Amino acid sequence: MESRREKKKKETRQAIMQAAMTLFSEKGFDQTSIEELAKAAGIGKGTIYGYFETKTDILHAFCEDELECLHKELTTYADREIPILQQMVKIYMTEFKQITENREFGRLFMQQTTFPRDADLKRHLEHENNYFKLLFPLLEKAQERGELRKDLDLLYITGHFYGLYLLLVSAWFSGRIQTEEAEYALEAVFSQAMEGLQPRL
Amino acid sequence: MESRREKKKKETRQAIMQAAMTLFSEKGFDQTSIEELAKAAGIGKGTIYGYFETKTDILHAFCEDELECLHKELTTYADREIPILQQMVKIYMTEFKQITENREFGRLFMQQTTFPRDADLKRHLEHENNYFKLLFPLLEKAQERGELRKDLDLLYITGHFYGLYLLLVSAWFSGRIQTEEAEYALEAVFSQAMEGLQPRL
DNA sequence: AAAAATTATCGACCGTAGTCAGATTTTTTT
DNA sequence: AAAAAAATCTGACTACGGTCGATAATTTTT
């Protein structure tokens, strides 16, 4: 049952998110003050803190919404018959696109999810676990198809890909890699991971 | 020639760094205000901004000093005859130790170096290039010894190791890996990188 | 439906990062 | 060595993120 109170809460939360999306996109995150945001959402400054703990929390919520959406899509569309390399590239490139589409958002999001504050740990781990739930079945299938070694821990395999993805994003923020080169670079480094660094006998 | 002015500048900068080291260690980064810091260094608040652009800049300078020191040490000691895997583990574990010894410092440092603000790019790239200068010769020697594929770009190899290092640090901040497990985990994932993810024929 | 209890809203208030115009010190010119 | 120029220092000031006690809206109890 939906009490009057609960309905209003949802509306207010939505109003904040909406205002945030608009203002952050228009003026950037740092240039948007909480007070402005509150005004745009038609509420008082303090009220925001009943919905979000910090300013970055708002950004976070936004990013997570987007990514969750993305993941759902991927699960549906993920074609389990194409090579695992392609699948991984597709998945991470989708995320990459999301990150790079708004530089500011992306940077903050990556900073906070890759090296999270202790206070954010719980939420962070939850999010990561969802990720694993998405990836593990794909990797398992690949193992069965003989594309991946079976003696490796799935967590380590995911980690391997994820680490290389981090590298890509880092390189992009450093300007070492342009947006257009990204897919090629990711594919290169992923297949390098598949084949290994030491020479084949 | 050292004018009176230049000498004083150096002294002041040193005084700020000294005060920062003490206060940050005692009370933590966030709990130390710029005003306190200035007082401890025996100067006015505004003066600090003649030496550092932001508060985090001070932290940065400190971390970079430490790391630079570390790298110098490593170059000297780096034993080029032990397997490249061990060398990489040793190098990254030294850095890891530095990062983890002070959680707060480490987090900020990693956040800012991995996903740098555009304003910090120049300094960041410089620092990274020094890194490459340290690693490339080691990798080249390993290639010659037949431990590493010769058809791979050195940058991609370094990147591969670095990406996996990022993963380790990220996992540590997330609490997925304890400090004591770190070396084992890094070795595991590095040798996984050496051998590759796909089954040997 | 009135009273009591609970929950949400608000904006004045606090502490701090960073700015800036004017004072001070050092260097250069005459 | 006096005057002019340049570099440096400074603390009052601004703007912002976040808090909190008072107030209003909603739900529950009587």
Side-chain angles (χ1 to χ4, degrees):
Chain A
M1 207 214 58
E2 184 111 336
S3 75
R4 175 162 182 183
R5 203 162 230 165
E6 278 162 352
K7 196 177 152 197
K8 206 179 165 197
K9 276 217 110 174
K10 266 187 196 159
E11 280 170 11
T12 306
R13 190 174 202 282
Q14 204 48 48
I16 297 172
M17 292 284 271
Q18 182 59 54
M21 227 176 300
T22 313
L23 287 176
F24 289 173
S25 298
E26 260 173 33
K27 329 177 38 183
F29 179 73
D30 285 329
Q31 281 63 50
T32 305
S33 77
I34 291 277
E35 215 147 4
E36 273 180 297
L37 189 53
K39 202 170 226 171
I43 55 175
K45 181 181 178 180
T47 306
I48 288 189
Y49 290 89
Y51 294 83
F52 301 94
E53 286 190 7
T54 65
K55 191 183 177 187
T56 42
D57 250 30
I58 303 170
L59 194 63
H60 241 87
F62 175 66
C63 291
E64 264 171 21
D65 275 11
E66 294 263 315
L67 283 182
E68 200 136 327
C69 206
L70 223 92
H71 290 170
K72 282 215 183 85
E73 232 179 276
L74 280 173
T75 335
T76 322
Y77 288 117
D79 183 345
R80 303 188 176 195
E81 291 314 318
I82 64 172
I84 190 68
L85 180 74
Q86 315 278 315
Q87 285 185 54
M88 289 293 123
V89 170
K90 190 180 172 189
I91 287 174
Y92 282 111
M93 279 311 293
T94 316
E95 186 150 342
F96 179 75
K97 209 180 150 203
Q98 193 69 218
I99 293 293
T100 54
E101 230 148 53
N102 191 317
R103 216 163 204 270
E104 286 301 309
F105 278 28
R107 180 170 17 241
L108 271 158
F109 182 72
M110 289 306 291
Q111 284 181 349
Q112 311 245 340
T113 52
T114 313
F115 310 110
R117 287 177 304 160
D118 296 346
D120 297 334
L121 271 186
K122 218 184 143 200
R123 191 178 29 161
H124 172 64
L125 288 173
E126 216 168 288
H127 181 253
E128 249 184 1
N129 282 333
N130 282 339
Y131 220 90
F132 294 151
K133 270 188 211 139
L134 162 66
L135 294 177
F136 278 10
L138 302 182
L139 297 174
E140 260 169 351
K141 281 233 172 190
Q143 277 184 327
E144 279 157 31
R145 285 201 305 273
E147 290 184 39
L148 284 173
R149 282 165 61 187
K150 287 186 181 160
D151 61 322
L152 294 178
D153 192 312
L154 282 183
L155 197 60
Y156 271 71
I157 301 184
T158 342
H160 204 131
F161 284 118
Y162 182 59
L164 296 176
Y165 169 68
L166 285 182
L167 176 75
L168 175 79
V169 179
S170 174
W172 183 78
F173 276 110
S174 311
R176 283 191 191 279
I177 279 189
Q178 293 330 108
T179 313
E180 313 81 46
E181 309 169 89
E183 183 153 359
Y184 173 77
L186 192 66
E187 213 173 308
V189 75
F190 273 10
S191 61
Q192 181 175 299
M194 292 292 289
E195 294 177 23
L197 296 173
Q198 73 193 188
R200 300 249 150 180
L201 308 176
Chain B
M1 206 211 59
E2 185 112 336
S3 75
R4 175 162 182 183
R5 203 162 229 166
E6 278 162 352
K7 196 175 152 197
K8 205 180 164 196
K9 276 215 108 174
K10 265 187 195 159
E11 280 171 9
T12 306
R13 191 174 200 282
Q14 203 47 50
I16 296 172
M17 291 285 271
Q18 181 59 54
M21 225 175 302
T22 313
L23 287 176
F24 289 172
S25 298
E26 260 174 31
K27 328 178 38 182
F29 178 73
D30 285 329
Q31 281 65 52
T32 305
S33 77
I34 292 277
E35 213 145 7
E36 275 181 294
L37 190 53
K39 200 169 227 170
I43 55 176
K45 182 180 176 178
T47 307
I48 289 189
Y49 289 90
Y51 293 84
F52 300 94
E53 286 191 8
T54 65
K55 191 182 176 187
T56 43
D57 250 32
I58 303 170
L59 194 63
H60 240 87
F62 175 67
C63 290
E64 264 170 20
D65 276 11
E66 294 263 315
L67 283 183
E68 201 135 328
C69 204
L70 222 92
H71 290 170
K72 283 215 184 83
E73 231 178 275
L74 280 173
T75 334
T76 322
Y77 288 117
D79 183 346
R80 305 190 174 194
E81 289 315 318
I82 65 173
I84 189 70
L85 180 75
Q86 315 278 314
Q87 285 185 55
M88 290 293 122
V89 170
K90 188 180 173 188
I91 287 175
Y92 281 111
M93 280 311 293
T94 317
E95 186 149 343
F96 179 75
K97 208 180 151 202
Q98 192 69 218
I99 294 293
T100 53
E101 231 150 54
N102 192 316
R103 215 162 206 268
E104 286 302 307
F105 277 30
R107 181 170 16 239
L108 271 159
F109 183 73
M110 289 306 291
Q111 283 182 350
Q112 311 245 341
T113 52
T114 314
F115 309 111
R117 287 176 303 161
D118 296 346
D120 297 334
L121 271 186
K122 216 183 145 200
R123 189 178 30 160
H124 171 65
L125 287 174
E126 216 169 288
H127 181 252
E128 249 184 359
N129 282 333
N130 282 338
Y131 219 91
F132 294 152
K133 271 189 211 136
L134 163 64
L135 294 177
F136 277 11
L138 302 182
L139 297 174
E140 260 168 351
K141 280 235 172 187
Q143 277 185 327
E144 279 158 30
R145 286 201 303 274
E147 290 183 39
L148 284 173
R149 284 165 61 187
K150 284 184 184 164
D151 60 323
L152 295 177
D153 192 311
L154 282 183
L155 197 60
Y156 271 72
I157 301 184
T158 343
H160 204 132
F161 284 119
Y162 182 59
L164 296 176
Y165 169 68
L166 285 182
L167 177 76
L168 175 80
V169 179
S170 175
W172 183 77
F173 276 111
S174 310
R176 284 193 189 277
I177 280 189
Q178 291 332 107
T179 312
E180 313 82 47
E181 309 170 271
E183 184 153 359
Y184 173 76
L186 193 66
E187 214 174 306
V189 75
F190 273 11
S191 59
Q192 181 176 300
M194 293 293 288
E195 293 178 22
L197 297 173
Q198 72 193 189
R200 300 247 148 181
L201 306 177

